[in-house]
Amino acid sequence: MPATSKEEAELKRNFLKQRQSLPLHLKIEMSKRRIREFYEHFDGKVYVSFSGGKDSTVLLHLVRSLYPDVLAVFVDTGLEYPEVKDFVKTFDNITIIRPKFPFNRVIEEYGYPVISKEVAKFIEDNRRNPNGYTAKKFDSNSDYIKKYGSRYDLSKWKFLRDSNIKVSAQCCNVMKKQPAKKFEKESGLKPFIATMAAESNLRKQEYLKKGCNSFETKRPASTPLGFWTEQDILQYLVENNLPYCSLYGEILKDKTGKYFTTKAKRTGCMFCMFGVHTEKSPNRFELMKTTHPKLYDYCINKLGCGKVLDFIGAKY
C-alpha cells in the first residue's frame, strides 16, 4: 500500500534526523554538491545572502571555496550591531542593499516581532479573523489540538493575543526579504541562504517541504546548510581557522566536547525579540545594556521594546 501523507511526513523527519547526525566531513561534501547543482542550474547567476553572522560566514566560505567570484549581498537594515557591519566590510565583492523604511516605521505600521515568527503570524491572523481557522490554535480543547497534539497549542500566548500590544511577523519580510527580492528581480541572480532546519520549527517545515535546493518555486533559492546544526557551524569555523564577527567572543569546548561561544550566541537584528523569552540570563538585551548602552536605551525606551518585554516576562 502507498504511504499516507502522515507516514511520508514521518519518513521525511527521520531522513532529516539522519542527515543531521552525519559527521561534518560528509555534510561538507553533501553541501558542496548542492552548491554545484544550484550554481550550474542557473549558469553561475547566483549570490550569497551574507548577514555577517557565523552561519552565513560558513556559507560564504563554502561557496567561494568552489566559486571564488560569487557575489555576497548584505542587507543593511539599520538593526545590525556595529561590530557586524565592521566585519562585513572586511570582505571583498560585497554589495550592500537597504530596505525602504526603518524599523520604527515597521513597528508603527505592523507591530513588534515577539515570541517567534510562527506565533506572531498566528496572533496577527487571529486578530484579523477572530472566528477563523487560527482560533483553534489558541484553544487547548479544540479538535485541532486534540488531533495534532500539544506542540501546536498556542493557548499560553492568549494573554498576548488579547492585549493591546501590536504584534507582527512582518519585520523580516519588510526589512530583509523585500529588498532581497527587489535585488534579485533587478539583477537576475538567485540566492544561497544560510538557514538551517535546526533553527526553528518553521525552518524545519520549510526544509522538509523544499529540501536544500528549490529550482522551480516562486523564489528559487539554495539552503545548502539546511541539515547542519550549530555545532557543525562552530566546528567548521574552528577547523578552518576562519575569522568571524568579534561579538561571538571565543569558540571553546566544554567538558563534554561541545562547542560554545564565550560571548553572543546570535548576532541578528539588535532589537528583534523573537525567542528572547527562551534565553538564559544574561539574554541579548541584558548583554546589550552593558555592551551597547546607547542602542539599548533607544531600543528599550524610545522604541518601546521594554514594555513588550515586561509584558511577556522577559528580563532586560
Side-chain angles (χ1 to χ4, degrees):
M1 293 179 65
T4 65
S5 57
K6 190 173 183 180
E7 288 171 336
E8 287 176 353
E10 186 62 27
L11 285 171
K12 285 184 177 180
R13 285 193 289 269
N14 289 335
F15 185 64
L16 172 60
K17 286 180 182 178
Q18 288 173 2
R19 282 194 168 183
Q20 288 174 326
S21 66
L22 291 171
L24 181 58
H25 72 276
L26 291 180
K27 290 182 177 180
I28 291 170
E29 291 308 311
M30 291 175 67
S31 294
K32 285 184 175 180
R33 198 177 307 136
R34 299 294 177 268
I35 290 167
R36 290 190 190 98
E37 289 171 356
F38 194 77
Y39 183 95
E40 291 171 6
H41 183 88
F42 290 106
D43 298 320
K45 294 178 181 178
V46 297
Y47 76 93
V48 175
S49 178
F50 183 51
S51 70
K54 61 184 187 303
D55 303 346
S56 64
T57 297
V58 169
L59 176 62
L60 184 61
H61 185 263
L62 266 179
V63 173
R64 287 186 173 175
S65 71
L66 298 172
Y67 306 106
D69 297 327
V70 169
L71 178 72
V73 175
F74 173 69
V75 184
D76 183 358
T77 65
L79 298 171
E80 290 75 26
Y81 287 88
E83 292 89 341
V84 170
K85 292 185 180 182
D86 290 341
F87 178 64
V88 168
K89 291 174 184 176
T90 66
F91 288 82
D92 295 327
N93 198 16
I94 297 277
T95 290
I96 297 175
I97 60 178
R98 293 176 175 82
K100 283 198 299 186
F101 49 81
F103 181 64
N104 64 314
R105 277 193 59 189
V106 173
I107 57 177
E108 285 170 10
E109 294 192 24
Y110 300 101
Y112 291 95
V114 62
I115 309 303
S116 70
K117 285 184 187 177
E118 200 170 23
V119 172
K121 181 181 183 300
F122 288 136
I123 287 176
E124 272 188 296
D125 291 344
N126 194 211
R127 283 176 171 178
R128 279 195 299 266
N129 188 6
N131 299 315
Y133 181 75
T134 53
K136 299 175 182 179
K137 294 178 180 287
F138 294 92
D139 180 2
S140 299
N141 297 314
S142 69
D143 292 339
Y144 181 90
I145 301 302
K146 289 176 181 177
K147 181 178 179 180
Y148 293 105
S150 59
R151 63 178 176 153
Y152 297 101
D153 186 355
L154 303 182
S155 59
K156 67 178 179 179
W157 302 117
K158 281 174 65 176
F159 77 96
L160 181 59
R161 181 201 64 183
D162 297 339
S163 73
N164 60 2
I165 293 174
K166 290 181 75 173
V167 176
S168 175
Q170 288 296 316
C171 187
C172 289
N173 183 48
V174 174
M175 302 296 284
K176 293 182 178 180
K177 288 185 179 179
Q178 286 183 8
K181 289 177 182 178
K182 181 174 183 287
F183 170 81
E184 289 160 21
K185 186 177 180 180
E186 292 173 350
S187 68
L189 302 181
K190 310 300 181 187
F192 288 107
I193 304 172
T195 55
M196 298 184 295
E199 292 176 283
S200 68
N201 186 55
L202 190 62
R203 287 183 172 171
K204 178 182 176 181
Q205 296 307 316
E206 287 176 354
Y207 180 83
L208 292 174
K209 184 179 178 181
K210 299 177 182 177
C212 289
N213 290 341
S214 56
F215 300 110
E216 307 300 332
T217 53
K218 189 175 180 180
R219 186 197 181 195
S222 175
T223 56
L225 306 182
F227 51 91
W228 287 40
T229 66
E230 185 183 32
Q231 284 297 297
D232 297 320
I233 295 294
L234 297 176
Q235 183 181 344
Y236 188 95
L237 290 169
V238 170
E239 292 184 354
N240 289 277
N241 196 29
L242 293 188
Y244 54 86
C245 182
S246 61
L247 281 170
Y248 292 111
E250 293 182 83
I251 299 174
L252 303 175
K253 278 186 178 182
D254 63 19
K255 293 179 181 179
T256 67
K258 188 176 181 180
Y259 288 99
F260 68 95
T261 56
T262 58
K263 292 184 181 179
K265 301 293 181 283
R266 60 181 293 282
T267 59
C269 299
M270 290 189 74
F271 308 147
C272 179
M273 290 178 281
F274 284 149
V276 68
H277 62 289
T278 66
E279 293 179 8
K280 293 180 180 179
S281 185
N283 64 32
R284 72 192 74 163
F285 293 104
E286 292 175 293
L287 292 171
M288 192 197 305
K289 186 176 184 179
T290 302
T291 59
H292 301 80
K294 290 183 179 179
L295 290 169
Y296 172 87
D297 177 66
Y298 177 72
C299 169
I300 297 300
N301 299 311
K302 302 294 192 302
L303 293 177
C305 292
K307 68 180 182 184
V308 181
L309 294 170
D310 279 333
F311 195 74
I312 66 170
K315 294 181 178 181
Y316 63 90

